[in-house]
Amino acid sequence: MALKDENSGKSPSPSRTGETFIVKVDHCEHETWQGRVTWAEENKSEHFRSTLELIKLMDGAIKSRRVSRQDEDKDIKGTV
């Protein structure tokens, strides 16, 4: 069964990812957050020391996931 976008009813575009992050902010120090982020799909966690670091961790996870999906698509197309 194909996934559908809840708003448009269309299948999501290949460039969109469905990443889920669980963010636990332990405390705020020096006007920024510190805590832990968990990638729900991979069950991987990492500490962050600033909001900027949190955003970079999330961005890196999304980019690496997109690259691995593109590699999988190339492998599938190569076998057909």
Side-chain angles (χ1 to χ4, degrees):
M1 183 164 137
L3 297 174
K4 300 288 183 185
D5 185 289
E6 294 175 358
N7 297 326
S8 68
K10 297 178 183 176
S11 296
S13 69
S15 64
R16 290 182 66 190
T17 61
E19 304 301 323
T20 304
F21 298 98
I22 301 164
V23 178
K24 181 179 184 294
V25 178
D26 293 327
H27 59 279
C28 183
E29 188 175 309
H30 305 293
E31 303 299 322
T32 192
W33 298 342
Q34 288 89 45
R36 186 186 249 337
V37 60
T38 302
W39 289 253
E41 288 82 9
E42 297 183 25
N43 199 26
K44 175 185 169 187
S45 293
E46 207 163 316
H47 288 279
F48 59 90
R49 296 167 299 223
S50 70
T51 309
L52 180 59
E53 186 176 11
L54 168 64
I55 292 169
K56 287 181 177 182
L57 287 168
M58 293 168 69
D59 184 56
I62 290 170
K63 285 179 180 175
S64 69
R65 190 89 162 180
R66 185 178 298 148
V67 168
S68 69
R69 285 181 183 163
Q70 288 173 347
D71 290 344
E72 289 174 6
D73 288 347
K74 287 179 186 175
D75 290 344
I76 291 170
K77 288 178 184 175
T79 60
V80 175

